[in-house]
Amino acid sequence: MDPVGIVLGTRPISPLEFWIGVQEHHLLQLDDVVYVESTINDSKVTFYGIVQEVQKFLEGAESVYDAHLVTRGIIPVNVAYTAKVSITRIEPELFVPPSPGDPVFKATGRHLDKALYYDQMKVKIPAGITRSGDPVYINYHFLNGKEGAHVSISGMSGIATKTSYALFLLYSLLNKADDLKQGVHGMIFNVKGKDLLWIDKKNRNLSQEDREIFEKLGLKPEPFKKVVFYVPPDERDPNIPACERFDDKVVPFYWSMREFAQEGLIKFMFVEGEEGMSNINYAIDRVANKLYSLAKQSPGDRLIDSYGRDIESLEDLERVLEEAIQDRYQNKNSELYKDWFGNADTQTTYAFMRRFQRAITYIKRFVRGSLSSPINWKDHKLLVIDISGLHSIAKMFVVGSILKKVFREKEEQSNPYPKLFVVLDELNKYAPKEGWSPIKDILLDIAERGRSLGVILVGAQQTASEIEKRVIANSAVKVVGRMDSSEVLSKEYEFLVGNFKQRAIMLKKGTMIMYQPDIPTPIIFRFPRPPWATKKEEVEEEVHVPEDFNNF
């Protein structure tokens, strides 16, 4: 193989970095992977690295005027073409510098695998391709909880394509994981638009170039399979899905009043970060405990209050609570009031009721008397839960209620299989750095204990700096798209070493930077456009040929 250059002896050389003098008629660009074979004390040592900086300058020209003379051909000089390499691996591990003048080669094949530690990854998940067309992989053991877990994806809205990349990564996982037979499932919360209601359909606009990228990564350019879409029910009829798609894959979801009481879902009606919530939390806990007690005592699928009356809706529950408050006015030592609100003062109770009544407006369609249509994630390979058209209160309620049930089931099972990868966008709304909410508690549990239970979070957000730091700290794999110049300076992006912070500001759509524990430097890559439709207009028409057609 023809070398691309030599190790420069005119610049300092260390076991961590060196400079290359690029050979004439050769091209070396940022992020190219190279290697050098040196002989040190009669032993062959191979240095692998990634190009972090590229420079060109005129050798022999000392002033601006000289540079003008060079362009006019008056002064003969040479153009120096140099590249700075950050060393990623030394084989064997002899921490000495390579020797000046040693030839430098572009890494391909087994040399590329060694440079990026792919040879040590027992299970490789395709993550994208480099500009030179080489596959980029993620170590699956840092995704599935064996050595680490969780993914954090950050970037500007609309430009960084965070959700698109989260789906591509999930597609890779569902096709390339080595434990698929033991059970690997995906759950996607669709928080924006109706883009994800068509991912089981072919994309009519998929280009040949994107098909080739999928094939190069060992993936079939096909839509997702075995998908079920859970959507909000129509406000008048729970059996009608409130979306533009109607078929047997679209299922409305909602809870019965008994489930609402037994699972403590009332807590997720109070998730907006407001001041003065600390006193209300006591009242919330008291009401939640009372509802749990009633659910345990009620027969069948019913929820019956202390007077034997059915509570068939959130409006019924509201009336019961108001009765307890009115009883307090007539009797300061009201047992009914204490039964529901404990020792909470009436001012706290009024604050509780104001928020409860406001939340009912947005949540009542999800709580349906004795009717129930639960989300059964174990029965499906992939679930898309549509919350895109909901008010923020309803979004919080749905996300919190579902994740609580999932995590409780996994705790009771105490088995990491089947594994569940949860894709949640706008993570900064659900686990903010400041304040408290019951959803934040659940997400912290997933971040800190989900690894051992088989619940893996793939979180996406515009600003990682606004997310609870323990959620980010527990993410083994970090991915960023195009970033805002002020956001990229926060400490959450300290893994962007060298010039990667500056480059993150300039990334094109579909290009990402990834850091994973196996590789000591971030990697820039791009991923293909999806073979699944992201909106109704992209759906490729399916032609069904009758079975009897061939008989003619």
Side-chain angles (χ1 to χ4, degrees):
M1 183 186 293
D2 191 19
V4 293
I6 61 170
V7 177
L8 276 182
T10 55
R11 300 279 188 102
I13 308 170
S14 79
L16 301 178
E17 64 182 36
F18 63 89
W19 285 82
I20 301 173
V22 182
Q23 299 273 33
E24 193 175 358
H25 306 305
H26 280 79
L27 177 67
L28 205 58
Q29 60 179 328
L30 290 175
D31 310 314
D32 279 349
V33 184
V34 297
Y35 71 95
V36 179
E37 293 179 337
S38 294
T39 301
I40 299 172
N41 293 342
D42 299 324
S43 298
K44 180 182 173 183
V45 179
T46 306
F47 299 85
Y48 299 96
I50 298 177
V51 175
Q52 301 286 359
E53 195 174 328
V54 181
Q55 296 180 350
K56 282 187 178 182
F57 56 92
L58 297 174
E59 281 189 315
E62 298 182 359
S63 66
V64 175
Y65 182 71
D66 287 345
H68 285 292
L69 295 177
V70 169
T71 59
R72 290 156 57 186
I74 297 174
I75 300 178
V77 296
N78 295 317
V79 176
Y81 184 2
T82 63
K84 181 182 177 181
V85 174
S86 177
I87 293 176
T88 59
R89 186 172 180 177
I90 304 174
E91 287 288 336
E93 259 191 4
L94 189 63
F95 284 92
V96 294
S99 302
D102 284 341
V104 181
F105 301 89
K106 276 192 177 182
T108 57
R110 66 180 183 89
H111 287 296
L112 181 66
D113 289 349
K114 280 185 171 291
L116 301 179
Y117 292 84
Y118 296 157
D119 62 320
Q120 294 186 1
M121 298 180 184
K122 293 182 180 178
V123 185
K124 297 183 292 187
I125 301 298
I129 61 166
T130 63
R131 279 196 305 277
S132 56
D134 296 311
V136 174
Y137 297 104
I138 299 177
N139 186 345
Y140 183 53
H141 288 176
F142 281 102
L143 291 175
N144 71 350
K146 192 165 185 177
E147 296 179 55
H150 312 305
V151 182
S152 172
I153 307 173
S154 305
M156 295 171 66
S157 179
I159 299 175
T161 56
K162 303 180 296 298
T163 305
S164 298
Y165 185 68
L167 259 67
F168 173 79
L169 183 57
L170 186 62
Y171 184 82
S172 291
L173 285 164
L174 295 176
N175 283 276
K176 288 296 182 179
D178 66 333
D179 50 3
L180 293 173
K181 291 182 179 179
Q182 294 171 273
V184 176
H185 300 255
M187 177 185 287
I188 306 168
F189 287 95
N190 180 35
V191 300
K192 289 180 290 190
K194 302 295 180 183
D195 299 354
L196 306 186
L197 293 179
W198 309 97
I199 62 174
D200 61 330
K201 305 292 185 182
K202 291 183 179 179
N203 187 342
R204 63 194 294 181
N205 300 324
L206 186 66
S207 68
Q208 183 59 32
E209 180 187 0
D210 291 317
R211 291 181 189 275
E212 291 172 357
I213 294 174
F214 269 91
E215 290 165 1
K216 184 175 288 189
L217 293 172
L219 298 169
K220 293 181 179 180
E222 296 175 349
F224 284 95
K225 298 177 181 177
K226 300 179 181 178
V227 190
V228 64
F229 302 90
Y230 283 101
V231 302
D234 185 84
E235 294 188 8
R236 291 160 295 181
D237 187 343
N239 297 313
I240 299 177
C243 71
E244 60 180 340
R245 178 173 175 175
F246 297 91
D247 56 47
D248 57 357
K249 291 184 178 181
V250 179
V251 182
F253 67 94
Y254 44 89
W255 292 265
S256 67
M257 274 303 302
R258 182 185 177 91
E259 288 171 333
F260 176 84
Q262 193 163 337
E263 296 177 17
L265 304 189
I266 192 170
K267 293 181 179 180
F268 299 110
M269 296 176 72
F270 299 82
V271 289
E272 289 198 316
E274 299 179 45
E275 295 295 328
M277 283 291 289
S278 56
N279 292 335
I280 300 176
N281 288 332
Y282 170 75
I284 296 171
D285 287 337
R286 290 290 306 195
V287 174
N289 290 338
K290 176 62 177 177
L291 285 170
Y292 179 80
S293 176
L294 291 177
K296 285 293 186 182
Q297 298 167 13
S298 300
D301 296 328
R302 299 163 66 191
L303 181 66
I304 300 176
D305 71 5
S306 303
Y307 297 107
R309 299 173 299 183
D310 280 288
I311 303 176
E312 296 183 336
S313 66
L314 293 176
E315 286 92 343
D316 285 351
L317 177 57
E318 180 186 356
R319 284 192 290 271
V320 171
L321 295 174
E322 286 177 341
E323 283 178 8
I325 296 172
Q326 288 299 321
D327 197 55
R328 171 69 178 269
Y329 273 112
Q330 297 172 7
N331 179 9
K332 289 188 177 181
N333 295 318
S334 168
E335 290 298 323
L336 181 60
Y337 181 90
K338 289 181 179 179
D339 210 21
W340 281 101
F341 296 106
N343 296 319
D345 59 48
T346 52
Q347 187 175 357
T348 299
T349 307
Y350 284 144
F352 168 92
M353 290 300 294
R354 283 196 302 271
R355 289 166 173 81
F356 179 70
Q357 289 163 348
R358 180 167 185 255
I360 287 176
T361 307
Y362 306 108
I363 292 170
K364 60 184 179 181
R365 73 159 106 171
F366 293 105
V367 184
R368 296 273 185 169
S370 60
L371 299 176
S372 174
S373 178
I375 288 174
N376 297 314
W377 65 273
K378 292 181 183 177
D379 296 341
H380 308 284
K381 192 71 175 176
L382 178 62
L383 296 80
V384 175
I385 302 169
D386 181 34
I387 57 174
S388 58
L390 303 179
H391 187 275
S392 61
I393 292 177
K395 285 183 179 180
M396 298 277 193
F397 176 80
V398 171
V399 172
S401 301
I402 292 172
L403 291 184
K404 179 185 178 180
K405 184 179 180 182
V406 167
F407 201 72
R408 190 188 70 246
E409 288 174 350
K410 294 295 286 182
E411 281 182 313
E412 293 171 353
Q413 178 187 332
S414 67
N415 185 340
Y417 289 99
K419 292 192 181 295
L420 177 65
F421 289 86
V422 179
V423 177
L424 180 58
D425 199 355
E426 298 183 349
L427 191 59
N428 50 300
K429 294 182 180 179
Y430 303 99
K433 179 179 288 187
E434 305 296 334
W436 171 90
S437 78
I439 297 180
K440 184 175 177 177
D441 272 358
I442 293 171
L443 288 170
L444 277 172
D445 267 345
I446 292 174
E448 295 176 341
R449 297 193 293 128
R451 171 184 169 185
S452 59
L453 296 175
V455 183
I456 313 300
L457 179 64
V458 181
Q461 61 279 323
Q462 292 185 45
T463 51
S465 62
E466 295 179 2
I467 292 179
E468 166 61 46
K469 63 181 180 181
R470 285 177 289 173
V471 174
I472 298 297
N474 280 285
S475 299
V477 178
K478 298 178 176 64
V479 182
V480 300
R482 186 169 174 180
M483 301 293 299
D484 181 82
S485 57
S486 58
E487 169 68 11
V488 79
L489 296 175
S490 48
K491 62 181 180 181
E492 282 76 13
Y493 304 96
E494 289 177 346
F495 61 90
L496 295 176
V497 296
N499 59 14
F500 279 102
K501 289 185 178 181
Q502 181 181 355
R503 297 176 67 187
I505 302 171
M506 304 164 58
L507 290 177
K508 291 184 177 180
K509 191 173 183 177
T511 302
M512 318 293 280
I513 302 174
M514 178 180 66
Y515 171 80
Q516 60 176 315
D518 268 5
I519 307 175
T521 183
I523 302 290
I524 286 188
F525 64 94
R526 61 188 178 93
F527 64 98
R529 291 180 177 85
W532 49 85
T534 59
K535 50 188 174 183
K536 190 175 182 179
E537 293 74 22
E538 291 180 349
V539 174
E540 182 179 299
E541 290 186 19
E542 298 174 351
V543 180
H544 297 282
V545 180
E547 292 183 7
D548 294 337
F549 184 80
N550 291 327
N551 296 331
F552 291 95

